[in-house]
PDB file of all heavy atoms in Angstrom:
ATOM      1  N   ASN A  21     -58.292 194.526  76.618  1.00 93.00           N
ATOM      2  CA  ASN A  21     -58.500 194.805  78.039  1.00 93.00           C
ATOM      3  C   ASN A  21     -57.902 193.727  78.952  1.00 93.00           C
ATOM      4  O   ASN A  21     -58.546 193.231  79.861  1.00 93.00           O
ATOM      5  CB  ASN A  21     -59.997 194.962  78.331  1.00 93.00           C
ATOM      6  CG  ASN A  21     -60.252 195.689  79.632  1.00 93.00           C
ATOM      7  OD1 ASN A  21     -59.465 196.542  80.044  1.00 93.00           O
ATOM      8  ND2 ASN A  21     -61.336 195.355  80.291  1.00 93.00           N
ATOM      9  N   VAL A  22     -56.653 193.382  78.692  1.00 94.00           N
ATOM     10  CA  VAL A  22     -55.964 192.352  79.480  1.00 94.00           C
ATOM     11  C   VAL A  22     -55.373 192.980  80.735  1.00 94.00           C
ATOM     12  O   VAL A  22     -54.598 193.932  80.664  1.00 94.00           O
ATOM     13  CB  VAL A  22     -54.850 191.686  78.637  1.00 94.00           C
ATOM     14  CG1 VAL A  22     -53.934 190.848  79.517  1.00 94.00           C
ATOM     15  CG2 VAL A  22     -55.460 190.831  77.544  1.00 94.00           C
ATOM     16  N   SER A  23     -55.739 192.439  81.895  1.00 94.00           N
ATOM     17  CA  SER A  23     -55.265 192.965  83.177  1.00 94.00           C
ATOM     18  C   SER A  23     -54.871 191.826  84.113  1.00 94.00           C
ATOM     19  O   SER A  23     -55.622 190.857  84.262  1.00 94.00           O
ATOM     20  CB  SER A  23     -56.353 193.810  83.855  1.00 94.00           C
ATOM     21  OG  SER A  23     -56.732 194.903  83.058  1.00 94.00           O
ATOM     22  N   PHE A  24     -53.694 191.929  84.713  1.00 95.00           N
ATOM     23  CA  PHE A  24     -53.267 190.981  85.743  1.00 95.00           C
ATOM     24  C   PHE A  24     -52.016 191.544  86.426  1.00 95.00           C
ATOM     25  O   PHE A  24     -51.385 192.471  85.922  1.00 95.00           O
ATOM     26  CB  PHE A  24     -52.987 189.583  85.177  1.00 95.00           C
ATOM     27  CG  PHE A  24     -51.925 189.538  84.106  1.00 95.00           C
ATOM     28  CD1 PHE A  24     -50.591 189.305  84.415  1.00 95.00           C
ATOM     29  CD2 PHE A  24     -52.268 189.707  82.770  1.00 95.00           C
ATOM     30  CE1 PHE A  24     -49.614 189.253  83.432  1.00 95.00           C
ATOM     31  CE2 PHE A  24     -51.299 189.661  81.768  1.00 95.00           C
ATOM     32  CZ  PHE A  24     -49.974 189.431  82.106  1.00 95.00           C
ATOM     33  N   ASP A  25     -51.678 190.987  87.583  1.00 93.00           N
ATOM     34  CA  ASP A  25     -50.478 191.383  88.320  1.00 93.00           C
ATOM     35  C   ASP A  25     -49.506 190.207  88.393  1.00 93.00           C
ATOM     36  O   ASP A  25     -49.926 189.044  88.410  1.00 93.00           O
ATOM     37  CB  ASP A  25     -50.823 191.801  89.757  1.00 93.00           C
ATOM     38  CG  ASP A  25     -51.661 193.069  89.813  1.00 93.00           C
ATOM     39  OD1 ASP A  25     -51.755 193.751  88.778  1.00 93.00           O
ATOM     40  OD2 ASP A  25     -52.216 193.350  90.884  1.00 93.00           O
ATOM     41  N   ILE A  26     -48.214 190.526  88.439  1.00 94.00           N
ATOM     42  CA  ILE A  26     -47.188 189.517  88.721  1.00 94.00           C
ATOM     43  C   ILE A  26     -46.426 189.998  89.941  1.00 94.00           C
ATOM     44  O   ILE A  26     -45.887 191.104  89.950  1.00 94.00           O
ATOM     45  CB  ILE A  26     -46.216 189.340  87.542  1.00 94.00           C
ATOM     46  CG1 ILE A  26     -46.966 189.019  86.260  1.00 94.00           C
ATOM     47  CG2 ILE A  26     -45.205 188.237  87.856  1.00 94.00           C
ATOM     48  CD1 ILE A  26     -46.090 189.029  85.029  1.00 94.00           C
ATOM     49  N   LYS A  27     -46.393 189.173  90.980  1.00 93.00           N
ATOM     50  CA  LYS A  27     -45.729 189.533  92.234  1.00 93.00           C
ATOM     51  C   LYS A  27     -44.440 188.728  92.396  1.00 93.00           C
ATOM     52  O   LYS A  27     -44.268 187.667  91.788  1.00 93.00           O
ATOM     53  CB  LYS A  27     -46.653 189.280  93.422  1.00 93.00           C
ATOM     54  CG  LYS A  27     -47.961 190.047  93.379  1.00 93.00           C
ATOM     55  CD  LYS A  27     -48.802 189.739  94.610  1.00 93.00           C
ATOM     56  CE  LYS A  27     -50.127 190.498  94.597  1.00 93.00           C
ATOM     57  NZ  LYS A  27     -51.034 190.003  93.546  1.00 93.00           N
ATOM     58  N   SER A  28     -43.542 189.237  93.212  1.00 92.00           N
ATOM     59  CA  SER A  28     -42.307 188.515  93.527  1.00 92.00           C
ATOM     60  C   SER A  28     -42.640 187.113  94.022  1.00 92.00           C
ATOM     61  O   SER A  28     -43.530 186.937  94.861  1.00 92.00           O
ATOM     62  CB  SER A  28     -41.518 189.256  94.607  1.00 92.00           C
ATOM     63  OG  SER A  28     -41.097 190.514  94.140  1.00 92.00           O
ATOM     64  N   GLY A  29     -41.919 186.135  93.502  1.00 92.00           N
ATOM     65  CA  GLY A  29     -42.136 184.746  93.919  1.00 92.00           C
ATOM     66  C   GLY A  29     -43.160 184.002  93.092  1.00 92.00           C
ATOM     67  O   GLY A  29     -43.251 182.777  93.189  1.00 92.00           O
ATOM     68  N   GLU A  30     -43.943 184.716  92.267  1.00 94.00           N
ATOM     69  CA  GLU A  30     -44.925 184.055  91.411  1.00 94.00           C
ATOM     70  C   GLU A  30     -44.278 183.629  90.094  1.00 94.00           C
ATOM     71  O   GLU A  30     -43.466 184.351  89.519  1.00 94.00           O
ATOM     72  CB  GLU A  30     -46.112 184.971  91.117  1.00 94.00           C
ATOM     73  CG  GLU A  30     -47.011 185.214  92.310  1.00 94.00           C
ATOM     74  CD  GLU A  30     -48.243 186.031  91.960  1.00 94.00           C
ATOM     75  OE1 GLU A  30     -48.162 186.876  91.032  1.00 94.00           O
ATOM     76  OE2 GLU A  30     -49.295 185.832  92.597  1.00 94.00           O
ATOM     77  N   ARG A  31     -44.664 182.449  89.618  1.00 95.00           N
ATOM     78  CA  ARG A  31     -44.192 181.934  88.331  1.00 95.00           C
ATOM     79  C   ARG A  31     -45.421 181.597  87.501  1.00 95.00           C
ATOM     80  O   ARG A  31     -46.049 180.546  87.690  1.00 95.00           O
ATOM     81  CB  ARG A  31     -43.308 180.703  88.541  1.00 95.00           C
ATOM     82  CG  ARG A  31     -42.106 180.964  89.436  1.00 95.00           C
ATOM     83  CD  ARG A  31     -41.204 179.748  89.569  1.00 95.00           C
ATOM     84  NE  ARG A  31     -41.879 178.615  90.198  1.00 95.00           N
ATOM     85  CZ  ARG A  31     -41.992 178.438  91.499  1.00 95.00           C
ATOM     86  NH1 ARG A  31     -41.489 179.336  92.343  1.00 95.00           N
ATOM     87  NH2 ARG A  31     -42.608 177.382  91.983  1.00 95.00           N
ATOM     88  N   ILE A  32     -45.769 182.507  86.604  1.00 96.00           N
ATOM     89  CA  ILE A  32     -47.022 182.405  85.855  1.00 96.00           C
ATOM     90  C   ILE A  32     -46.764 181.862  84.457  1.00 96.00           C
ATOM     91  O   ILE A  32     -45.955 182.416  83.702  1.00 96.00           O
ATOM     92  CB  ILE A  32     -47.726 183.776  85.746  1.00 96.00           C
ATOM     93  CG1 ILE A  32     -47.861 184.438  87.121  1.00 96.00           C
ATOM     94  CG2 ILE A  32     -49.083 183.620  85.070  1.00 96.00           C
ATOM     95  CD1 ILE A  32     -48.678 183.649  88.114  1.00 96.00           C
ATOM     96  N   GLY A  33     -47.431 180.764  84.107  1.00 95.00           N
ATOM     97  CA  GLY A  33     -47.345 180.205  82.758  1.00 95.00           C
ATOM     98  C   GLY A  33     -48.380 180.853  81.861  1.00 95.00           C
ATOM     99  O   GLY A  33     -49.559 180.918  82.206  1.00 95.00           O
ATOM    100  N   LEU A  34     -47.937 181.386  80.726  1.00 95.00           N
ATOM    101  CA  LEU A  34     -48.837 182.008  79.744  1.00 95.00           C
ATOM    102  C   LEU A  34     -49.063 181.008  78.622  1.00 95.00           C
ATOM    103  O   LEU A  34     -48.123 180.649  77.902  1.00 95.00           O
ATOM    104  CB  LEU A  34     -48.225 183.301  79.208  1.00 95.00           C
ATOM    105  CG  LEU A  34     -49.011 184.076  78.146  1.00 95.00           C
ATOM    106  CD1 LEU A  34     -50.395 184.470  78.658  1.00 95.00           C
ATOM    107  CD2 LEU A  34     -48.241 185.314  77.701  1.00 95.00           C
ATOM    108  N   VAL A  35     -50.307 180.537  78.473  1.00 94.00           N
ATOM    109  CA  VAL A  35     -50.619 179.511  77.483  1.00 94.00           C
ATOM    110  C   VAL A  35     -51.664 180.038  76.506  1.00 94.00           C
ATOM    111  O   VAL A  35     -52.284 181.076  76.722  1.00 94.00           O
ATOM    112  CB  VAL A  35     -51.127 178.208  78.158  1.00 94.00           C
ATOM    113  CG1 VAL A  35     -50.088 177.671  79.129  1.00 94.00           C
ATOM    114  CG2 VAL A  35     -52.459 178.433  78.882  1.00 94.00           C
ATOM    115  N   GLY A  36     -51.869 179.301  75.428  1.00 90.00           N
ATOM    116  CA  GLY A  36     -52.831 179.690  74.410  1.00 90.00           C
ATOM    117  C   GLY A  36     -52.448 179.082  73.079  1.00 90.00           C
ATOM    118  O   GLY A  36     -51.328 178.593  72.897  1.00 90.00           O
ATOM    119  N   GLU A  37     -53.377 179.116  72.139  1.00 86.00           N
ATOM    120  CA  GLU A  37     -53.118 178.529  70.825  1.00 86.00           C
ATOM    121  C   GLU A  37     -52.034 179.288  70.070  1.00 86.00           C
ATOM    122  O   GLU A  37     -51.762 180.459  70.360  1.00 86.00           O
ATOM    123  CB  GLU A  37     -54.413 178.529  69.994  1.00 86.00           C
ATOM    124  CG  GLU A  37     -55.478 177.577  70.509  1.00 86.00           C
ATOM    125  CD  GLU A  37     -56.615 177.431  69.517  1.00 86.00           C
ATOM    126  OE1 GLU A  37     -56.848 178.362  68.727  1.00 86.00           O
ATOM    127  OE2 GLU A  37     -57.268 176.378  69.527  1.00 86.00           O
ATOM    128  N   ASN A  38     -51.424 178.639  69.076  1.00 82.00           N
ATOM    129  CA  ASN A  38     -50.482 179.314  68.183  1.00 82.00           C
ATOM    130  C   ASN A  38     -51.171 180.510  67.550  1.00 82.00           C
ATOM    131  O   ASN A  38     -52.282 180.393  67.032  1.00 82.00           O
ATOM    132  CB  ASN A  38     -50.009 178.375  67.070  1.00 82.00           C
ATOM    133  CG  ASN A  38     -49.250 177.163  67.578  1.00 82.00           C
ATOM    134  OD1 ASN A  38     -49.313 176.107  66.996  1.00 82.00           O
ATOM    135  ND2 ASN A  38     -48.525 177.326  68.668  1.00 82.00           N
ATOM    136  N   GLY A  39     -50.505 181.672  67.594  1.00 80.00           N
ATOM    137  CA  GLY A  39     -51.076 182.864  66.974  1.00 80.00           C
ATOM    138  C   GLY A  39     -52.060 183.617  67.844  1.00 80.00           C
ATOM    139  O   GLY A  39     -52.661 184.594  67.395  1.00 80.00           O
ATOM    140  N   ALA A  40     -52.226 183.182  69.104  1.00 86.00           N
ATOM    141  CA  ALA A  40     -53.187 183.862  69.990  1.00 86.00           C
ATOM    142  C   ALA A  40     -52.698 185.233  70.433  1.00 86.00           C
ATOM    143  O   ALA A  40     -53.484 186.063  70.885  1.00 86.00           O
ATOM    144  CB  ALA A  40     -53.476 182.990  71.218  1.00 86.00           C
ATOM    145  N   GLY A  41     -51.374 185.476  70.319  1.00 90.00           N
ATOM    146  CA  GLY A  41     -50.831 186.786  70.694  1.00 90.00           C
ATOM    147  C   GLY A  41     -49.964 186.770  71.938  1.00 90.00           C
ATOM    148  O   GLY A  41     -49.692 187.818  72.529  1.00 90.00           O
ATOM    149  N   LYS A  42     -49.473 185.590  72.335  1.00 92.00           N
ATOM    150  CA  LYS A  42     -48.697 185.481  73.573  1.00 92.00           C
ATOM    151  C   LYS A  42     -47.385 186.271  73.493  1.00 92.00           C
ATOM    152  O   LYS A  42     -47.060 187.045  74.394  1.00 92.00           O
ATOM    153  CB  LYS A  42     -48.426 184.003  73.891  1.00 92.00           C
ATOM    154  CG  LYS A  42     -49.677 183.152  74.034  1.00 92.00           C
ATOM    155  CD  LYS A  42     -49.384 181.727  74.416  1.00 92.00           C
ATOM    156  CE  LYS A  42     -48.620 180.956  73.343  1.00 92.00           C
ATOM    157  NZ  LYS A  42     -49.379 180.812  72.080  1.00 92.00           N
ATOM    158  N   THR A  43     -46.630 186.068  72.403  1.00 91.00           N
ATOM    159  CA  THR A  43     -45.365 186.788  72.247  1.00 91.00           C
ATOM    160  C   THR A  43     -45.604 188.288  72.112  1.00 91.00           C
ATOM    161  O   THR A  43     -44.853 189.102  72.660  1.00 91.00           O
ATOM    162  CB  THR A  43     -44.594 186.259  71.016  1.00 91.00           C
ATOM    163  OG1 THR A  43     -44.263 184.875  71.234  1.00 91.00           O
ATOM    164  CG2 THR A  43     -43.305 187.043  70.790  1.00 91.00           C
TER     165      THR A  43
END
Side-chain angles (χ1 to χ4, degrees):
N21 199 31
V22 167
S23 300
F24 59 92
D25 294 347
I26 305 172
K27 301 181 180 69
S28 296
E30 289 185 329
R31 302 183 297 276
I32 309 299
L34 179 58
V35 302
E37 291 190 334
N38 298 148
K42 302 183 295 297
T43 297

